[in-house]
Amino acid sequence: MRPRVPYDDPGTPDARGPARYLWWLVVAQRGRVAIGVVVSSTWMVLLTLPPLIISRAVDEGLRARDTGALVRWSAALLGIAALNAVLGMLRHRVMSFIRIDASYRTVQVVVRQVVRLGAALPRRVSAGEVVNIGSTDVGHISRVMTTTGPGVGAVVAFFVVAVLLLEVSPTLALVVLVGVPLMMGLLVPLLNRLQATETGYRVDQAAVTARAGDIVSGLRVLCGIGGKDAFAGRYRTASRALQAQGYRVGAVTSWIQALGLGLPSLFLAVVTWLAARMAATGGITVGGMIAVYGYVAVLITPVYFLIEGAQDISRGLVAARRVVRLLVLAPDVDEGGPRTPGPTGPADLRDPDSGLVVPAGRMLAVAAARPSDAVEVVDRLGRYVDSGATWGSVPLAAMGIDEVRRRILVADNDAHLFAGALREAVAGREDPDDEAITAAVRTAAAADAVPDGLDSEVDEQGRTLSGGQRQRLRLVRALLADPDVLLLVEPTSAVDAHTEALIASRVHAARKGRTTVVTSTSPLLLDQADEVAYLVDGRVVATGTHPELLAHPGYRGLVFR
């Protein structure tokens, strides 16, 4: 039996809002969070005991000249310090687990959603936004989890200090009870401004990141058309605007941090001054004054955690809002409801929107006056959008999406090439043997892209390869998948005429008896197809072989222009 891997299923996130999503992360690990609250609260409370112990040691030991009392209180102080050291380490350990759990749970639900969206993702979310979720937002969300431990502990410690001060002076206790919330209230406007400013910054950051990725991926093309400097100038302008926005975020953050350190210190000075005056007038003892100073000095730690927690929550809400915005997106195809199995044998594909009929077991070429029309047809036949398309007597929309993806493959020129040896780069659901890979490489005329044979290394996205070589490696992978229906979008648009002729004849031979659709306006490909469908304004206006359709003026002008 396979051992259970923790967090195989991260659960169903609450995507009704950023605050609800953060609360879901807390509830998902409520046992660990409860331990963190108890340990952190105990640690914070024990921080307040040394001033009390020292004051008793002064009053009952030093002033009373009682050595035994002094030793007992000193031993108690040493024991509290040792216990708190252990609790401090345990607190850090528990909170680290909580933050890591929140981080990886977020990564899991984001990756699951990205896979669920599939081809709809690039149309809905920029690459820069997805990158920023993984590189920045996850970190901000995990830091929010700190408030579940030390944050709660800070509130508990605040009230404990107030109770202890009541024994010394009700006036000082009132000052603390009013002063600390007042300090926190002074930071609220800045925290609101930080949230608004950082939201704008993150939007601009995603846009700049996406632009940088586009420039890198299209660098060869930009150099070829002389557009590198123009795009670099646009990136530089956007980057400087982002830098200015970052300065604004930094300015607000610096004020929050400065006030977070300065206000507690100023508050400590005020309370110490009041305690000193009371001690001078006999209102409290010297030991009481020492205790007050110690309590307020210790109170700086809880106040610091509260201020830091408020800042983390502000940033965490911005990050969670971006995650939620991704999680609420729905794929372009309906995945719910009962599913009907697809045809068990060869069957025609039909697209009523265009009037196209793809005969089973034959190679059909689609020549469209507008290339986008052909892509829309392929999207419907591959069920990347729901439509009235049917496979035999079964509507594609009624089939399970997993079955459609397994049996109908859309291969276009935007498909990602993964880094690794050729065997890994072209592998699909199953690992093909060397003989099959060699045959597919020959069919796609891709031998020049793999100089070291099957051991050739392929960089990510084939960045060291030419556009034609990348295109042919994608074709190799598509052929090895060996689907029931293969939909090829412009598979030879980046190769020379001689190579294109080889690929056209070899693909026709390799896919003999299997349903294949090729979108192209190249006469070399069209001539190899068993049938050609000519599309105008998204509708089929003529079908036949390539030589037969040359009698059609519009078709002839399209393929020979």
Side-chain angles (χ1 to χ4, degrees):
M1 181 177 178
R2 185 175 69 89
R4 180 182 181 274
V5 179
Y7 313 132
D8 271 348
D9 181 10
T12 302
D14 189 340
R16 289 177 291 176
R20 288 180 179 272
Y21 177 78
L22 294 175
W23 180 245
W24 172 76
L25 289 175
V26 174
V27 173
Q29 47 178 331
R30 48 187 172 273
R32 187 180 291 126
V33 169
I35 294 174
V37 169
V38 172
V39 172
S40 298
S41 299
T42 305
W43 176 71
M44 286 277 191
V45 170
L46 290 181
L47 286 177
T48 66
L49 294 185
L52 174 62
I53 294 173
I54 292 173
S55 68
R56 295 296 177 84
V58 170
D59 289 339
E60 299 176 12
L62 290 179
R63 295 186 65 188
R65 298 183 181 277
D66 185 343
T67 304
L70 181 61
V71 171
R72 287 193 300 273
W73 286 116
S74 298
L77 181 63
L78 180 62
I80 291 295
L83 178 59
N84 234 17
V86 174
L87 287 175
M89 290 186 291
L90 183 59
R91 174 193 64 83
H92 181 73
R93 179 182 176 86
V94 173
M95 298 314 301
S96 294
F97 276 117
I98 291 173
R99 286 192 294 268
I100 292 172
D101 183 288
S103 296
Y104 283 97
R105 202 177 291 271
T106 298
V107 169
Q108 282 183 295
V109 297
V110 167
V111 171
R112 185 174 65 185
Q113 174 69 352
V114 166
V115 173
R116 176 171 172 259
L117 290 174
L121 180 67
R123 296 193 287 267
R124 308 286 192 84
V125 184
S126 70
E129 188 162 354
V130 177
V131 168
N132 282 333
I133 287 175
S135 62
T136 306
D137 292 331
V138 170
H140 287 326
I141 288 172
S142 69
R143 287 188 61 85
V144 175
M145 298 298 106
T146 301
T147 59
T148 61
V152 175
V155 175
V156 173
F158 165 69
F159 285 107
V160 169
V161 168
V163 171
L164 291 174
L165 281 174
L166 279 174
E167 296 183 1
V168 179
S169 169
T171 301
L172 293 176
L174 181 62
V175 170
V176 169
L177 284 172
V178 174
V180 171
L182 182 61
M183 281 193 298
M184 296 300 299
L186 291 174
L187 294 176
V188 171
L190 286 174
L191 291 171
N192 290 336
R193 184 176 178 185
L194 173 64
Q195 186 172 345
T197 306
E198 188 151 0
T199 298
Y201 173 78
R202 300 307 300 282
V203 171
D204 294 343
Q205 185 184 39
V208 171
T209 303
R211 177 168 293 179
D214 291 343
I215 291 175
V216 171
S217 61
L219 194 57
R220 288 176 181 264
V221 177
L222 291 176
C223 291
I225 64 175
K228 182 175 67 173
D229 293 338
F231 274 80
R234 293 176 188 173
Y235 176 80
R236 191 178 299 110
T237 301
S239 181
R240 286 174 178 169
L242 180 64
Q243 182 185 44
Q245 183 79 338
Y247 285 151
R248 287 190 284 272
V249 173
V252 179
T253 303
S254 64
W255 272 107
I256 293 174
Q257 293 178 345
L259 291 175
L261 293 174
L263 287 178
S265 300
L266 182 62
F267 183 69
L268 171 63
V270 171
V271 175
T272 303
W273 178 77
L274 290 173
R277 286 186 60 85
M278 288 181 177
T281 58
I284 60 175
T285 64
V286 174
M289 183 188 71
I290 295 174
V292 169
Y293 176 80
Y295 292 149
V296 180
V298 167
L299 197 60
I300 289 179
T301 299
V303 170
Y304 169 78
F305 274 111
L306 288 174
I307 293 174
E308 185 183 55
Q311 187 175 351
D312 289 340
I313 290 174
S314 178
R315 286 179 165 171
L317 287 171
V318 174
R321 184 174 294 112
R322 293 164 64 84
V323 172
V324 167
R325 191 180 298 127
L326 174 65
L327 295 180
V328 298
L329 296 178
D332 290 337
V333 295
D334 180 17
E335 299 177 358
R339 291 302 165 195
T340 303
T344 56
D348 294 348
L349 270 173
R350 288 181 172 80
D351 175 36
D353 290 354
S354 63
L356 180 69
V357 177
V358 182
R362 292 169 64 81
M363 181 173 174
L364 172 74
V366 177
R370 289 196 307 259
S372 59
D373 291 340
V375 172
E376 289 175 1
V377 170
V378 169
D379 281 346
R380 292 193 291 268
L381 294 178
R383 205 190 160 200
Y384 283 100
V385 293
D386 277 332
S387 67
T390 60
W391 191 9
S393 60
V394 181
L396 283 178
M399 292 177 59
I401 193 66
D402 289 339
E403 182 183 4
V404 173
R405 295 288 178 264
R406 186 178 69 254
R407 300 181 63 184
I408 302 177
L409 174 63
V410 175
D412 59 22
N413 294 316
D414 294 326
H416 193 91
L417 282 176
F418 295 96
L422 178 65
R423 290 183 179 86
E424 300 170 355
V426 299
R429 293 177 181 268
E430 300 179 0
D431 293 330
D433 57 33
D434 290 356
E435 183 179 351
I437 297 175
T438 301
V441 168
R442 180 185 179 280
T443 300
D448 62 313
V450 287
D452 297 327
L454 303 186
D455 296 321
S456 299
E457 288 292 323
V458 178
D459 290 338
E460 185 177 5
Q461 280 290 56
R463 299 197 189 281
T464 58
L465 303 175
S466 68
Q469 289 173 327
R470 290 196 295 271
Q471 190 174 56
R472 282 173 283 161
L473 283 186
R474 293 186 178 103
L475 179 58
V476 169
R477 185 170 60 189
L479 292 169
L480 287 171
D482 195 27
D484 293 343
V485 179
L486 178 60
L487 309 176
L488 299 173
V489 179
E490 298 287 351
T492 58
S493 59
V495 300
D496 58 75
H498 173 70
T499 304
E500 184 177 26
L502 284 176
I503 293 173
S505 61
R506 291 174 180 176
V507 168
H508 183 270
R511 292 288 300 174
K512 189 174 182 61
R514 311 298 296 276
T515 305
T516 307
V517 177
V518 181
T519 70
S520 178
T521 56
S522 167
L524 295 173
L525 266 177
L526 298 173
D527 189 48
Q528 289 291 329
D530 298 317
E531 185 178 334
V532 179
Y534 175 42
L535 267 68
V536 176
D537 294 330
R539 296 287 301 176
V540 175
V541 296
T543 59
T545 64
H546 174 60
E548 291 171 350
L549 289 181
L550 288 177
H552 192 293
Y555 177 82
R556 185 172 61 251
L558 174 66
V559 300
F560 288 132
R561 63 185 175 184

